[in-house]
Amino acid sequence: MTAVLHICMTCRAGQPVPEGEVCPGARLFTAIRSADIPDGVAVRPVECLSACDHGCGIALSKPGSWSYVYGRMTEADVPEILRGAALYAATPDGLVPWRDRPVIFRKQSLARLPPLES
């Protein structure tokens, strides 16, 4: 089952972005797409994750599993984002043991959403 790593393309990381400059969320998306994406993870751009006051937002989801929204992500976090996404993808229910999660996922979690019932 493929996990989806959603990247907020419109995220301004809580800062104004001058006309003509690329916003931080789009730069994060580009950095992630340029990296080696783990097996079982698909990367998708999204318009907004409504985490505007919390820096660059990302989310992880997959059918029948818990979903997560994380904030304050930067291009420097790409290796840990992808490591966390791989761990998430390998779970049957989206629950990565707390100690195994990257520190950025432990400290920068904004929301955890229960699986949708079918």
Side-chain angles (χ1 to χ4, degrees):
M1 183 177 322
T2 299
V4 179
L5 173 60
H6 308 271
I7 312 294
C8 179
M9 295 290 291
T10 57
C11 188
R12 298 171 191 266
Q15 303 295 317
V17 176
E19 184 73 29
E21 286 193 24
V22 177
C23 66
R27 289 195 313 264
L28 178 61
F29 175 77
T30 298
I32 286 174
R33 291 292 298 192
S34 299
D36 289 328
I37 307 300
D39 290 339
V41 177
V43 178
R44 293 210 181 113
V46 294
E47 283 295 315
C48 183
L49 290 171
S50 291
C52 303
D53 291 338
H54 300 283
C56 287
I58 66 169
L60 283 168
S61 66
K62 66 180 181 174
S65 295
W66 286 85
S67 298
Y68 295 85
V69 179
Y70 300 100
R72 299 179 301 282
M73 298 292 158
T74 69
E75 293 168 75
D77 296 320
V78 167
E80 288 295 273
I81 291 169
L82 293 176
R83 184 172 79 82
L87 290 168
Y88 175 83
T91 67
D93 55 7
L95 297 173
V96 176
W98 191 83
R99 290 179 186 233
D100 295 341
R101 296 176 195 168
V103 172
I104 59 171
F105 280 15
R106 285 188 244 156
K107 296 189 180 244
Q108 294 165 216
S109 177
L110 302 178
R112 183 174 94 153
L113 307 167
L116 294 175
E117 296 183 25
S118 52

